[in-house]
Amino acid sequence: ATILAACTFGTASAADLVVGFSQIGSESGWRAAETTLTKQQAEQRGIDLKFADAQQKQENQIKAIRSFIAQGVNAILLAPVVATGWDEVLQEAKDAEIPVILLDRTVDAPKELYLTAVTSDLVHEGNVAGKWLVDTVAGKPCNVVELQGTTGSSPAIDRKKGFEAALAGKDNLKIVRSQTGDFTRTKGKEVMESFLKAEDGGKNICALYAHNDDMAVGAIQAIKEAGLKPGKDILVVSIDAVPDIFQAMAAGEANATVELTPNMAGPAFDALATYLKDGKEPEKWIQTESKLYTQADDPMKVYEEKKGLGY
Ligand code: GYE
């Protein structure tokens, strides 16, 4: 199948490539930046990008993929909203000899059903956030609340796992509440409000771990409205490194974030170009970097640098 695919597309140059992109939606600032950068990267390479916004629904993504297959695109980029339920449609793409590249989230499907996945190490990100918290509280008792990402999505599953691993055996740290905030600001604020209410107006909470910055930003608002100081009364650690969290860090209202690049498409298009030209299969996982930022890292400077990079 590999050789067949290479022959089928071996003559296509980037200039006449048509690529379908099934995007999840626009739940977060990070996601919006990824969309912007994917369009930019396609344009720079002369790729004709067919963009489909799934509005958070897997069924819309499956429909979009089937439509891309019917159109005979040269390749498909898929940011899978949840991890399961992809086997059938991925098999259809494979039967049509259309390579699929996963962006930013992983799937529970046989590896031969996609060409490669461009993602960060999502477990590691949660682990970095957890280690930061363990080190920062330095043995003091600390009740933690957790805002999870979209239920069933690989980042929600993995970021939870990695964080819990960092806290394992640290008896001073306890996750007292954990609920999904769906990766959005609105839900992050709403769920944080319920956490605060349930935990003595927030007096019983020492730290918030949010699976993305947008939920943290919403939660920061809720903490302020409850009359507490985010970043001080309640420590705030999250993931993504969007510009707004650096503003919050500069104001002392957020403490740490783990960076995730929104440029997943660049490496994906590079791998695709090599594959279509030489038939050379890329590694199954193209891993992007995860870097920790704290208030000590000149947040306003990082904010300025980030602005314009798709944000
Ligand atoms: O962290 C979050 C989002 O899938 C890893 O999705 C990605 C996550 C990202 O909307 O902000």
Side-chain angles (χ1 to χ4, degrees):
T2 303
I3 295 161
L4 267 178
C7 293
T8 310
F9 305 114
T11 53
S13 71
D16 45 40
L17 277 186
V18 181
V19 175
F21 177 25
S22 171
Q23 176 61 299
I24 293 169
S26 50
E27 71 283 358
S28 66
W30 183 88
R31 176 83 41 211
E34 184 192 49
T35 295
T36 302
L37 286 177
T38 305
K39 288 177 177 170
Q40 271 175 19
Q41 291 286 330
E43 206 183 310
Q44 276 170 24
R45 291 156 205 258
I47 292 171
D48 179 6
L49 190 77
K50 307 269 178 225
F51 181 77
D53 179 335
Q55 318 253 329
Q56 308 295 320
K57 291 203 178 74
Q58 182 176 36
E59 57 186 271
N60 291 343
Q61 294 203 287
I62 291 172
K63 266 188 220 145
I65 294 168
R66 291 200 167 126
S67 145
F68 293 147
I69 295 171
Q71 290 171 56
V73 299
N74 300 106
I76 293 169
L77 301 182
L78 167 64
V81 59
V82 290
T84 57
W86 297 105
D87 293 37
E88 199 181 322
V89 76
L90 289 179
Q91 185 64 54
E92 288 167 27
K94 194 176 170 74
D95 291 346
E97 290 168 4
I98 298 171
V100 174
I101 300 183
L102 304 177
L103 290 193
D104 73 83
R105 296 184 185 184
T106 58
V107 295
D108 297 335
K111 285 192 166 48
E112 61 271 18
L113 293 184
Y114 56 88
L115 182 65
T116 185
V118 184
T119 76
S120 58
D121 184 334
L122 297 156
V123 175
H124 177 67
E125 288 168 345
N127 205 255
V128 169
K131 282 201 173 116
W132 174 84
L133 188 61
V134 168
D135 292 346
T136 303
V137 302
K140 284 197 287 284
C142 181
N143 283 345
V144 184
V145 295
E146 177 182 31
L147 286 168
Q148 298 179 32
T150 300
T151 305
S153 71
S154 71
I157 296 163
D158 292 349
R159 287 172 180 171
K160 183 167 185 40
K161 199 189 284 172
F163 185 79
E164 282 172 351
L167 267 59
K170 314 285 173 197
D171 295 337
N172 58 312
L173 282 140
K174 221 173 93 194
I175 302 171
V176 291
R177 310 244 158 210
S178 181
Q179 212 178 297
T180 182
D182 228 356
F183 281 131
T184 69
R185 268 178 209 218
T186 321
K187 266 296 207 81
K189 179 166 188 268
E190 209 176 286
V191 177
M192 190 66 200
E193 280 165 359
S194 75
F195 286 167
L196 290 160
K197 244 182 231 144
E199 296 294 340
D200 197 13
K203 288 200 252 338
N204 201 27
I205 302 171
C206 140
L208 161 71
Y209 166 48
H211 290 188
N212 81 348
D213 290 343
D214 278 72
M215 292 190 293
V217 169
I220 285 169
Q221 192 55 37
I223 295 168
K224 288 205 265 190
E225 285 172 15
L228 293 171
K229 288 195 176 66
K232 296 187 182 73
D233 298 326
I234 298 179
L235 298 172
V236 178
V237 55
S238 50
I239 297 168
D240 275 358
V242 301
D244 287 357
I245 205 72
F246 289 98
Q247 264 188 323
M249 284 204 276
E253 296 178 343
N255 303 88
T257 188
V258 185
E259 183 174 39
L260 175 72
T261 177
N263 183 16
M264 301 272 158
F269 288 142
D270 287 347
L272 182 66
T274 308
Y275 174 65
L276 296 181
K277 192 165 152 271
D278 310 329
K280 193 177 162 290
E281 291 221 15
E283 298 285 319
K284 278 291 158 183
W285 183 20
I286 299 170
Q287 190 189 337
T288 64
E289 268 183 280
S290 312
K291 187 180 161 203
L292 178 77
Y293 284 91
T294 68
Q295 290 177 355
D297 293 310
D298 199 349
M300 271 330 276
K301 189 171 159 240
V302 185
Y303 171 81
E304 293 301 338
E305 287 165 3
K306 289 260 169 194
K307 276 281 185 190
L309 294 174
Y311 290 104

